[in-house]
Amino acid sequence: MSATSPIAQLDDVRLEDAYVPAPGTCDEMRAADGGLRPHWQYLIDTLRQLGRGGIETRWREAHRLIRDNGVTYNLHGDPRSMSRPWELDPLPLLLRGEEWAELERGLIQRAELLNAVLLDLYGPRRLITQGLLPPELVDGYAGYLLPCHGISVAGDRPLVFYGADLTRDADGHWRVIGDRTQTPSGAGYALENRVVLSRVMPSLFRDSHVHRLAGFFRGLRRTMNRLAPGDATQAQVALMTPGPANAAYFEHAYLANYLGYTLVQGADLSVRDGALWLRTLGRLERIDAVLRRVDDCFCDPLELREDSMLGVPGMVQAVRTGNLTVANALGSGVLEHPGLMAFLPALCRQLLGEDLLLPHLHTWWCGCPQDRAYVLDNLDALVIKPAGSRTLGAAASPPGPRVLFPRNLDADARARLVAQIQAQPHRFVAQEEVKPSTAPVYMDGRIVPRPFVLRSFSVAEEDGYAVMPGGLSRVALSEDTPMVSSQLGGLGKDTWVLATEPEREETLLGIQESQSPAVVRESDVSSRIADNLFWIGRYAERAEGLVRLLRVTAINLTARSSFAAEDQGIGCLGTLLEALNEQCHGNVPLPTDAEPAALAAPTPQLLSLITDLERVGALPQTLQALGLAAWSVRERLSSDTWRVINDIERHLRRLTSQPPQTLNAALYVLDPLVTALVAFSALTQENMTHNEGWHFLEAGRRLERGMNLATLLRSTLVAIIPAPEDGLVVEAVLGVTDSLITYRRRYQAGTRVGALLDLVVQDEANPRSLAYQILRLSQLLEDMPRDPMGPARSAAQKGVLRLLTELRLAGLDQLAQPDADGLRRGALAQFLTDQELGMAEISDALTAQYFRHEEHPHHMIEHRLSAVQR
């Protein structure tokens, strides 16, 4: 049963009549007596009024919004990798406001309790000295970071952001099944779920009086500013991500944009003089606070996990000296020890003087002899969770699955598990097995019950914790699954907490906060960001030029039914194939005089260049490289720009997963693809702020267009072919450069090489000319950051000045003249070769001056292309 296929059909009976929860399971929509819970009635009535067509329309609209917004979540092993779209159920989870208020009190108490435990474990450790916590449980756990002991925390709130996974037991009581205290993910997905569902069902959302989410995120932003050292109104906050390969990278970029934070990776940062700095182009910018999405043990290879490539050496010291606030505090992962739950009721009475309001799963830590005996006697009724041991080095958990169900193990595996528990009991925790409660999901035209887990989020405010009204619900696709997890697949669900009266519509920008400055400086561009933007410009232009050349070649081929033998290698088609070979770095096997059939039927080669993802230099690899570079700077691109990138990716999937078998079929894909690439260039030109980052993107585009144009002219115009083929070649070049209309209006004497060179080489007003690219490069380089102590002109500027001078002084009549033998234009060949080499030197100079190369996605492909050229 697929949750991602369109709704098939509706039953003739009422929607809810076929909805039958499993016996002994609590369900959100149906009460224990089988009746519909009152707060679900309006939703069911609305769905009934919409009917099959209305529901299907809204399902498709939600799917389109998710696709266009680029909402992704990567499952390990999924072939779609970073392109896997987020799956959203069109039905929200409904919670009554009165019930939520009670749950909220329990969540606030639990956050306060865990925060107090964290303060003690990295401070006086009274809980251990008083015997309330066994030292083996804490000190033997890999999540307890000894270098962080004794570090003071601003505001005594090391647990800034807290997530709790919740479900109901068979009696309908909420139970905590997991605490997320390191880097709780999902808040961004909850926000995106809300945006999508409120757009596809606006009337239902408005009339249901749903509590808004913007206030929660305003609280998070206030907290980060308040906890940062120094002036809260001037605090510079960054969101630290492991990078684009992380499953939830979309959320990291989404939250960074929403909160107005700079998205950084460890390679962008440096610790100097006990403070954290962002390495921007030519300077360092101070970072006061970090909202991290990197597990704490990876944050500092100097004091924590030494093999980490994700962190910043010296980050712990920057926190220790009080120059940096990290949320959540480094070392907060100790609270995720599953065995800690066994001690929380007693800790709550000790630390807060009250009973625990929100129960969790019954838990037994095998390091306690009584608990171990109970676990071994009741193994089949329990779930076993291995806990990471410090004896395992830097590993967060022992090898093997994170959760074991002993009742499903064979005799040998069960015996090994018992032996492991007896040998190292402190490494194992047992919990009761609770079947998750169910919620309604729309599948294949029906409403069906499916297990779900609700992840709630809390943020530390100045006077306590504030809870997001709702959260991220995750639903399993199978009704008999024992676990619900994003990494196991399934659906996301928007969670609606229903108010008794209409909620005021608001956004994160709706209220001017007193401590926020009226104007803040735009975040600076790191070397990594500038590098990827530079290559986005290059790959986008490279793809567009290749598509235009492939399209003209395909049209030329399909328009001519046959070729005479004397045309082999010297006709228009042979010239275009030579141009393709040059553009693809010599990776196109060309026909020779000994292969007349290849020239007569080059279709397989052209189709391979259009569809083969494994072919170096072909169109699919270029488009893939563009997507990877764009994904690496996702937070820098607008929603509209990202929709175009998604459109380009859909064309790529169409070319590679269902490759066209004929050139005419390929043209049906190439035509809209070139439109999408032009739209991408236009959006970055018109909708992107012309800041430092844009200058590098534009410089990459101009360099690539100039190099492609010089290569195209050299491969088509240097070798002289007889009429009428020479006129066809000139017309083809004009088609590739999108200059045919201008040529016809300006030059009335037919297609001539000299006129072509005037238009596409020396015309500084033609955006497709070589001179225009060099002139724009000169202007862009003037605006790039410079070392005030450096030379008056950089190496790149000197190179541009030389090329522009040569272009302006070049005699077109001389360049268009054939050599004495009448076979080629030697002067033109030398001129274009000098221009190509000069632009390559400018690219190298920019790279040496501004970029670093350790972790950027384009380098792998560029190295492969360079190897082919060599």
Side-chain angles (χ1 to χ4, degrees):
M1 183 180 299
S2 173
T4 58
S5 60
I7 298 164
Q9 62 181 12
L10 295 176
D11 298 328
D12 294 332
V13 298
R14 293 188 306 169
L15 290 177
E16 70 273 21
D17 287 348
Y19 184 85
V20 181
T25 301
C26 177
D27 184 74
E28 291 297 315
M29 192 173 79
R30 284 211 183 278
D33 59 5
L36 190 68
R37 299 186 191 272
H39 61 287
W40 284 86
Q41 187 64 58
Y42 181 63
L43 172 63
I44 294 299
D45 291 343
T46 301
L47 295 178
R48 191 182 296 117
Q49 292 171 8
L50 288 174
R52 179 184 64 84
I55 298 174
E56 182 173 348
T57 298
R58 282 154 179 78
W59 181 91
R60 288 176 174 170
E61 176 66 7
H63 186 72
R64 183 191 67 80
L65 288 172
I66 289 173
R67 180 194 64 204
D68 289 348
N69 293 343
V71 188
T72 59
Y73 187 87
N74 179 29
L75 296 182
H76 295 315
D78 192 304
R80 289 173 290 182
S81 186
M82 292 182 288
S83 300
R84 181 187 183 276
W86 177 253
E87 305 284 358
L88 176 63
D89 179 41
L91 298 184
L93 174 69
L94 306 183
L95 298 174
R96 293 182 297 109
E98 300 84 357
E99 180 187 19
W100 179 258
E102 182 179 350
L103 180 59
E104 187 178 42
R105 287 193 293 271
L107 290 169
I108 291 173
Q109 183 204 53
R110 193 174 186 90
E112 294 281 8
L113 172 61
L114 291 174
N115 185 75
V117 172
L118 192 59
L119 282 171
D120 179 81
L121 292 181
Y122 286 97
R125 290 169 58 97
R126 295 191 185 95
L127 297 178
I128 292 177
T129 57
Q130 294 174 4
L132 293 171
L133 275 179
E136 298 85 0
L137 183 140
V138 176
D139 296 335
Y141 183 54
Y144 184 70
L145 305 182
L146 290 173
C148 298
H149 184 268
I151 296 179
S152 61
V153 178
D156 284 341
R157 296 282 183 182
L159 187 62
V160 174
F161 199 71
Y162 166 59
D165 290 338
L166 305 161
T167 192
R168 295 186 196 263
D169 58 23
D171 296 327
H173 299 128
W174 286 103
R175 305 275 292 276
V176 176
I177 61 176
D179 295 301
R180 301 290 174 256
T181 58
Q182 277 207 78
T183 59
S185 64
Y189 288 107
L191 184 60
E192 179 64 18
N193 290 349
R194 176 62 52 84
V195 170
V196 172
L197 229 58
S198 62
R199 283 190 59 180
V200 300
M201 295 184 177
S203 298
L204 176 64
F205 178 78
R206 181 186 64 248
D207 297 340
S208 296
H209 304 163
V210 182
H211 281 284
R212 309 284 176 158
L213 303 181
F216 175 82
F217 291 98
R218 281 204 307 273
L220 174 60
R221 198 162 63 177
R222 281 195 305 269
T223 296
M224 293 302 298
N225 288 344
R226 175 173 51 84
L227 296 180
D231 186 356
T233 64
Q234 301 297 325
Q236 294 295 321
V237 184
L239 194 151
M240 185 176 176
T241 174
N246 186 265
Y249 180 73
F250 161 81
E251 180 187 48
H252 305 164
Y254 184 77
L255 283 179
N257 275 342
Y258 188 70
L259 296 169
Y261 294 162
T262 303
L263 186 68
V264 299
Q265 298 180 31
D268 301 330
L269 304 171
S270 176
V271 173
R272 302 189 183 187
D273 299 324
L276 185 67
W277 302 84
L278 173 65
R279 291 188 287 209
T280 63
L281 298 173
R283 57 188 179 274
L284 296 174
E285 297 294 336
R286 174 76 177 269
I287 298 295
D288 302 298
V290 170
L291 181 63
R292 65 180 176 91
R293 287 296 181 266
V294 178
D295 286 353
D296 47 20
C297 66
F298 290 95
C299 285
D300 186 346
L302 188 63
E303 295 197 54
L304 302 175
R305 182 164 173 164
E306 62 182 14
D307 61 343
S308 171
M309 301 295 291
L310 305 176
V312 187
M315 177 177 274
V316 172
Q317 181 60 22
V319 175
R320 187 180 289 125
T321 57
N323 293 324
L324 174 68
T325 295
V326 175
N328 286 337
L330 298 175
S332 57
V334 68
L335 298 177
E336 294 185 357
H337 192 314
L340 187 62
M341 284 189 179
F343 302 90
L344 286 183
L347 295 179
C348 188
R349 289 188 290 270
Q350 174 70 22
L351 295 172
L352 303 183
E354 54 193 30
D355 291 331
L356 200 61
L357 296 176
L358 187 59
H360 48 246
L361 299 180
H362 293 304
T363 304
W364 296 266
W365 177 57
C366 293
C368 174
Q370 296 87 345
D371 286 1
R372 181 167 66 254
Y374 177 86
V375 169
L376 294 176
D377 289 342
N378 298 274
L379 208 54
D380 289 340
L382 302 174
V383 176
I384 304 298
K385 295 183 177 181
S389 170
R390 196 169 301 283
T391 59
L392 297 173
S397 60
R402 295 175 58 187
V403 178
L404 299 172
F405 294 88
R407 56 182 169 80
N408 296 331
L409 300 178
D410 59 34
D412 290 342
R414 180 188 174 92
R416 286 195 299 271
L417 175 61
V418 170
Q420 290 172 349
I421 293 175
Q422 291 174 333
Q424 292 184 304
H426 64 282
R427 285 181 48 191
F428 293 91
V429 177
Q431 290 182 328
E432 62 176 320
E433 183 176 356
V434 174
K435 190 173 184 180
S437 51
T438 57
V441 178
Y442 214 108
M443 283 183 171
D444 299 331
R446 298 183 301 132
I447 296 179
V448 295
R450 288 294 180 266
F452 84 98
V453 168
L454 168 62
R455 177 168 292 182
S456 70
F457 301 96
S458 304
V459 63
E461 293 271 29
E462 195 164 7
D463 55 352
Y465 280 88
V467 181
M468 176 190 288
L472 176 65
S473 295
R474 293 163 297 162
V475 183
L477 298 180
S478 173
E479 56 188 326
D480 56 357
T481 181
M483 294 179 59
V484 181
S485 168
S486 296
Q487 277 298 328
L488 297 177
L491 305 174
K493 237 183 187 317
D494 192 12
T495 307
W496 291 5
V497 176
L498 308 180
T500 56
E501 57 185 29
E503 284 273 300
R504 182 181 63 182
E505 186 173 354
E506 58 180 346
T507 69
L508 190 67
L509 306 178
I511 298 177
Q512 181 66 37
E513 298 163 10
S514 59
Q515 70 267 35
S516 299
V519 179
V520 295
R521 179 176 48 80
E522 185 177 9
S523 59
D524 291 289
V525 177
S526 68
S527 298
R528 177 185 59 84
I529 294 291
D531 196 2
N532 279 291
L533 288 171
F534 177 76
W535 281 97
I536 286 174
R538 292 199 63 171
Y539 284 134
E541 188 59 39
R542 184 179 300 179
E544 183 185 336
L546 186 54
V547 170
R548 290 182 182 278
L549 183 55
L550 284 166
R551 191 171 58 167
V552 168
T553 306
I555 292 173
N556 182 276
L557 177 59
T558 55
R560 304 176 70 183
S561 57
S562 63
F563 301 92
E566 58 267 24
D567 288 334
Q568 295 171 15
I570 60 173
C572 180
L573 179 62
T575 300
L576 291 175
L577 289 174
E578 174 64 35
L580 275 173
N581 185 58
E582 291 284 345
Q583 295 283 26
C584 296
H585 303 273
N587 195 37
V588 181
L590 291 174
T592 66
D593 291 341
E595 300 172 323
L599 181 58
T603 299
Q605 289 295 333
L606 289 178
L607 288 176
S608 176
L609 288 175
I610 295 170
T611 63
D612 190 353
L613 189 58
E614 299 301 320
R615 191 163 187 173
V616 177
L619 178 61
Q621 276 204 356
T622 304
L623 294 175
Q624 186 182 59
L626 171 61
L628 287 172
W631 188 254
S632 297
V633 291
R634 194 193 192 289
E635 77 284 2
R636 299 276 170 169
L637 304 177
S638 69
S639 298
D640 288 338
T641 306
W642 198 253
R643 290 188 185 97
V644 176
I645 292 173
N646 288 330
D647 194 33
I648 294 171
E649 187 173 286
R650 284 195 295 275
H651 291 307
L652 172 60
R653 287 199 298 269
R654 182 178 174 186
L655 288 172
T656 55
S657 61
Q658 298 176 329
Q661 302 301 309
T662 66
L663 288 179
N664 279 328
L667 286 172
Y668 280 111
V669 184
L670 293 181
D671 286 340
L673 176 57
V674 76
T675 302
L677 289 165
V678 170
F680 174 77
S681 297
L683 281 169
T684 56
Q685 181 74 28
E686 297 297 329
N687 288 17
M688 191 173 179
T689 304
H690 290 196
N691 56 11
E692 287 181 353
W694 177 85
H695 282 83
F696 284 96
L697 186 150
E698 185 69 4
R701 174 185 289 120
R702 297 306 167 190
L703 266 175
E704 191 70 29
R705 182 175 291 185
M707 295 171 73
N708 286 346
L709 179 58
T711 302
L712 174 68
L713 296 175
R714 180 172 51 78
S715 56
T716 54
L717 300 183
V718 169
I720 299 177
I721 61 177
E725 293 285 345
D726 60 342
L728 294 175
V729 169
V730 170
E731 188 167 338
V733 171
L734 290 169
V736 174
T737 58
D738 201 21
S739 301
L740 188 58
I741 293 177
T742 303
Y743 185 95
R744 287 172 176 170
R745 289 170 61 92
R746 182 181 298 181
Y747 309 100
Q748 302 296 323
T751 52
R752 296 291 182 268
V753 172
L756 172 66
L757 294 178
D758 176 63
L759 178 60
V760 300
V761 172
Q762 271 191 337
D763 188 348
E764 296 182 7
N766 178 15
R768 293 282 172 179
S769 76
L770 190 58
Y772 184 90
Q773 315 314 314
I774 304 302
L775 183 61
R776 287 291 294 129
L777 267 175
S778 176
Q779 297 165 349
L780 291 165
L781 292 176
E782 286 292 334
D783 293 331
M784 287 183 181
R786 297 278 305 281
D787 182 0
M789 304 301 294
R793 285 191 176 93
S794 66
Q797 287 178 302
K798 291 177 182 177
V800 166
L801 181 60
R802 178 179 64 82
L803 291 182
L804 189 58
T805 302
E806 291 175 357
L807 267 168
R808 288 171 170 170
L809 296 178
L812 297 184
D813 291 338
Q814 180 184 0
L815 295 180
Q817 278 293 339
D819 293 345
D821 58 10
L823 298 179
R824 64 192 308 271
R825 299 180 176 92
L828 179 62
Q830 186 61 53
F831 170 76
L832 293 173
T833 299
D834 290 343
Q835 291 286 312
E836 287 180 81
L837 293 175
M839 283 181 278
E841 291 172 358
I842 293 169
S843 178
D844 291 342
L846 286 173
T847 299
Q849 185 175 357
Y850 294 108
F851 307 147
R852 292 173 289 117
H853 309 283
E854 296 88 349
E855 62 286 322
H856 309 314
H858 53 265
H859 290 118
M860 175 183 69
I861 294 177
E862 286 303 308
H863 290 163
R864 292 175 67 182
L865 293 178
S866 298
V868 170
Q869 288 179 294
R870 289 194 296 269

